[in-house]
Amino acid sequence: MITHYPREIIAAAAPICGMADLATDYQTTRPDLRSLTEEMMGGRPDQLPEKYFARSPVNFFQLIQGSLFIVHGSLDPNVTPANLHQIRERLDAYNIPYELLVFDDEGHGIDKPANQELLYSRLSDFFERALR
């Protein structure tokens, strides 16, 4: 939503293990999960490139006006680190400011209590600053 609406409507976003490029995600995720994406999208990226492009936030990063805080697990087998690399590369290319929190010992989702404590604290601080 932050890629499509002005700051007055979406002032801040904090994707956690979020997919930014659905085609990249399709190619890099576990093979057993690809059928879920095909079901949701109605086919593979090579069959529906326009649809995958239109639904991929990475293609609209230049439109971001609100504050952005990205959270990711380095061991994520679903939304792999390839996604995070692409996100950072594109945001940096457009000079879009963002905060980043990467957990080296987490996968898809932040599950460990100590990590959750840090995450919730950082999310609270982020939204408090962003929504002033």
Side-chain angles (χ1 to χ4, degrees), residues 106-121:
E106 293 282 6
H108 192 70
I110 310 306
D111 297 325
K112 296 180 178 166
N115 291 343
Q116 288 180 341
E117 186 175 333
L118 174 61
L119 172 63
Y120 299 144
S121 174

Side-chain angles (χ1 to χ4, degrees), residues 38-79:
E38 290 173 22
E39 184 179 329
M40 286 187 291
M41 295 295 288
R44 299 183 314 266
D46 62 315
Q47 297 169 320
L48 302 164
E50 298 87 8
K51 188 172 187 179
Y52 274 78
F53 182 93
R55 304 278 194 299
S56 296
V58 72
N59 298 315
F60 306 97
F61 279 1
Q62 71 277 14
L63 303 176
I64 293 174
Q65 297 176 24
S67 300
L68 184 60
F69 179 44
I70 299 164
V71 179
H72 207 86
S74 291
L75 304 175
D76 192 336
N78 301 352
V79 183

